[in-house]
Amino acid sequence: MDARFYNLRDQEINIETLANNLVNAYQSQGYTAQYIGNGDHVLVQFKKGSDFEAFIGLQAALSLSLQRTNGGIMATIGQQKWIDKMAVGAAAVFVPALFPLLLTAGFGAFRQFNLAGQIFSMLDGLVRQQYPDVQINPTAQASAF
């Protein structure tokens, strides 16, 4: 699980606005995206790919939790959906006719891995727009909170 802590000290930031901006940006890129929650905790869900793409291991889906804490905001990427990629890859190894699915599962895993990084990069930018001096601490320091 990846996490970041945005140290905002005594500054307030509207996490629902951050979530809404992320949803709008990813929907414009063809993702299904939504958020639920309130001013203290929001869960944002992202998905790209149809059910057929999920079947062949191409779908990318994950969730982002934004939670207000003492001194800032904790952002955590939830467990990614890797089981479909492993299942497709395993089937392709044992059934030679399904060998092309190894490629789709590999591409799906690559797409999934990159999605988490893209979301954090966009979130970093959105937070910095409101608070240019924000201190961003990656997982190791964020887990202490």
Side-chain angles (χ1 to χ4, degrees):
M1 219 176 339
D2 292 328
R4 290 198 182 160
F5 182 74
Y6 297 90
N7 188 346
L8 300 171
R9 298 177 196 177
D10 296 328
Q11 302 169 353
E12 286 291 317
I13 190 167
N14 187 326
I15 61 175
E16 288 182 274
T17 299
L18 287 176
N20 191 48
N21 289 341
L22 286 168
V23 165
N24 291 336
Y26 276 88
Q27 285 178 341
S28 72
Q29 297 175 38
Y31 284 79
T32 301
Q34 63 183 6
Y35 78 91
I36 54 172
N38 58 38
D40 291 324
H41 186 235
V42 173
L43 181 67
V44 189
Q45 297 173 322
F46 304 90
K47 181 176 89 168
K48 187 161 192 174
S50 64
D51 290 338
F52 177 73
E53 287 176 302
F55 179 72
I56 61 173
L58 279 175
Q59 188 180 71
L62 58 82
S63 60
L64 170 71
S65 171
L66 298 172
Q67 186 168 3
R68 186 175 315 284
T69 63
N70 224 0
I73 294 172
M74 175 67 77
T76 308
I77 296 282
Q79 294 288 17
Q80 290 92 348
K81 188 177 169 188
W82 294 104
I83 193 73
D84 61 338
K85 285 129 189 76
M86 291 186 301
V88 169
V93 168
F94 294 112
V95 180
L98 299 177
F99 182 75
L101 293 180
L102 271 176
L103 298 175
T104 61
F107 182 74
F110 179 75
R111 182 190 233 183
Q112 182 83 33
F113 179 77
N114 283 335
L115 180 57
Q118 291 169 1
I119 289 171
F120 270 138
S121 292
M122 185 171 290
L123 182 60
D124 290 351
L126 290 170
V127 172
R128 285 185 197 276
Q129 281 179 349
Q130 294 184 43
Y131 301 102
D133 297 333
V134 67
Q135 293 177 1
I136 302 171
N137 299 317
T139 307
Q141 295 172 357
S143 62
F145 292 93

